[in-house]
């Protein structure tokens, strides 16, 4: 298999004078604000325990300065959602909180054209086998429960130890904002919902079947265009380390998917024992798919990888053909979530196993993760990190 060592860029471009901040969630029960204005050093601005015992996911509503935090509530009967106000000095204070079904692990926000001034939040609950929705006042960061969908299975799936029940593992909204997709690792399907344009409620429609999904993304992210003929849906499958690509077609009221690609996150090689793919994103250049591979030690003990796939032809036009490009260092152990900051050309990686956050250059030339700029050790496993730029 092809592996790449970290590339050194000849010149570092000028450091932005703007505040550059990150928020990291930790299973030690902490949400940490980190300052990166220095560009070489990540320093702690503040920490809060307001997101419960096991913060698993962070989502920033940047224009309103509100950070939404999910508490997976590991070993607890319920999880929580907490909204936190982010202050200029980096402190976070609680705005709202609701108890949820167990195991919330990912959220997405969307709007309903018929409802102005409010937004909607949908959450995937892994251990609680549920999807929930909330109506949000985005300015105040306050929210109310709207819907709970709870799923059951008649019998376990093929990987009985992980598929004993439905496990909604992620949630993404399509580029038109009209549909929400929930990969369900336990039930081997992607649940598909239509966003009711006048109520904001989710309406289940025909799912995508025969998959073992984990998390997913749409590409290219081109903003709202309900008639776009150039939308693809990419799904990473944790149990098989497979990436699947689908061509998306819209009708007046529906969405359909045609599979155009399936391949391993290790290319032609077999997956290292115990490895499991985690997060997926489209590169800022819109031509690569980036997947984090956990626990593969590709670059040495406790040094895991990113898999990179080409998803556009050299002219930059989106092509149906996806191809595996190789593996790049993920800077440590068990890269679960990562966030690319396109304008800053940087990637932040939540290293669950290393219990740290790494910021590295995003190498625009190769369209891949590049040199490490800083690493910050934190308490506990780090499932999620987001930029506040
Ligand atoms: C950035 O932080 C490092 C480590 O704390 C320090 O040595 C360096 O002087 C700082 N640079 C600037 C420009 O503040
Ligand atoms: C909390 O968990 C219990 C047990 O699973 C469940 O019945 C209840 O609906 C949950 N509460 C909320 C607010 O989801
Ligand atoms: C939406 O997509 C259509 C068809 O591809 C294209 O003609 C149109 O310019 C797009 N509109 C926007 C706002 O991107």
């Amino acid at each position: 298999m092809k592996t790449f060592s970290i590339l050194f860029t000849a010149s570092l471009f000028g450091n932005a004078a703007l505040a550059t901040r990150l928020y990291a969630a930790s299973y030690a029960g902490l949400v940490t604000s980190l300052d990166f204005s220095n560009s070489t050093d990540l320093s702690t601005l503040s920490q809060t325990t307001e997101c419960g015992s096991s913060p698993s996911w962070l989502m920033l509503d940047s224009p309103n300065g509100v950070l939404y935090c999910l508490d997976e509530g590991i070993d607890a009967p319920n999880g929580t959602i907490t909204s936190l106000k982010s202050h200029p000095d980096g402190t976070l204070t609680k705005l709202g909180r609701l108890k949820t079904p167990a195991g919330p692990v990912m959220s997405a926000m969307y709007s309903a054209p018929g409802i102005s001034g409010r937004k909607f939040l949908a959450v995937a609950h892994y251990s609680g086998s549920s999807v929930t929705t909330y109506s949000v006042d985005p300015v105040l960061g306050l929210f109310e429960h709207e819907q709970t969908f709870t799923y059951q299975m008649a019998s376990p799936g093929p990987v009985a130890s992980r598929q004993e029940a439905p496990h909604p593992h992620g949630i993404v909204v399509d580029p038109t904002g009209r549909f929400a997709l929930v990969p369900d690792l336990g039930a081997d399907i992607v649940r598909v919902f239509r966003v009711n344009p006048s109520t904001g409620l989710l309406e289940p429609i025909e799912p995508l079947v025969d998959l073992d999904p984990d998390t997913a993304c749409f590409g290219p992210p081109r903003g709202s265009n309900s008639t776009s003929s150039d939308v693809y849906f990419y799904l990473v499958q944790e149990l098989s380390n497979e990436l699947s690509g689908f061509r998306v077609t819209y009708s007046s009221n529906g969405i359909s998917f045609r599979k155009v690609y399936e391949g391993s996150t290790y290319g032609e090689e077999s997956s290292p024992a115990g490895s499991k793919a985690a997060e997926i994103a489209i590169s800022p250049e819109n031509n690569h798919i980036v997947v984090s591979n956990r626990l593969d030690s590709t670059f040495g003990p406790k040094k895991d990888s990113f898999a990179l796939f080409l998803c556009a032809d050299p002219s930059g036009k989106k092509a149906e053909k996806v191809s595996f490009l190789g593996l790049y260092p993920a800077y440590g152990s068990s890269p679960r979530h990562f966030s690319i900051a396109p304008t800053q050309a940087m990637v932040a990686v939540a290293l669950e196993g290393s219990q740290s956050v790494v910021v590295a250059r995003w190498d625009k030339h190769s369209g891949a993760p590049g040199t490490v700029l800083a690493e910050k050790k934190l308490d506990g496993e780090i499932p999620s990190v987001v930029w506040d730029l």
Side-chain angles (χ1 to χ4, degrees), residues 77-79 99-102 132 148:
N78 292 91
K99 195 186 259 195
T100 72
T132 57
T148 299

Side-chain angles (χ1 to χ4, degrees), residues 140-295:
L140 298 179
L142 298 177
F143 47 95
E144 292 156 24
H145 175 252
E146 291 273 6
Q147 295 171 288
T148 299
F149 300 90
T150 305
Y151 302 105
Q152 281 166 354
M153 271 157 56
S155 55
V159 184
S161 63
R162 298 287 310 277
Q163 298 187 303
E164 81 298 349
H167 290 306
H169 201 309
I171 181 153
V172 287
V173 174
D174 84 311
T176 70
R178 294 163 59 213
F179 300 93
L181 276 74
V182 175
D184 185 328
L185 179 144
D188 278 346
I189 64 173
V190 176
R191 300 181 189 281
V192 184
F193 299 88
R194 176 178 170 266
V195 177
N196 183 306
S198 48
T199 63
L201 297 178
L202 293 187
E203 300 170 349
I205 57 173
E206 191 75 11
L208 260 167
V209 298
D210 293 332
L211 300 157
D212 53 17
D214 174 29
T215 50
C217 69
F218 279 90
R222 286 188 184 162
S224 177
N225 187 341
S226 60
T227 59
S228 173
S229 58
D230 204 16
V231 172
Y232 291 83
F233 174 64
Y234 300 109
L235 179 73
V236 66
Q237 297 160 245
E238 170 179 334
L239 298 180
S240 60
N241 291 324
E242 295 274 312
L243 172 80
S244 298
F246 300 83
R247 176 102 192 210
V248 178
T249 309
Y250 294 101
S251 59
S252 60
N253 220 4
I255 183 169
S256 59
F257 302 87
R258 178 170 56 82
K259 191 184 270 187
V260 295
Y261 179 78
E262 184 160 72
S264 167
T265 65
Y266 294 95
E268 298 297 309
E269 306 287 317
S270 54
S271 300
S275 60
K276 40 184 189 171
E279 185 63 68
I280 181 169
I282 302 290
S283 68
E285 298 75 29
N286 248 342
N287 59 353
H288 292 160
I289 304 161
V290 191
V291 176
S292 58
N293 278 323
R294 286 176 290 180
L295 306 173

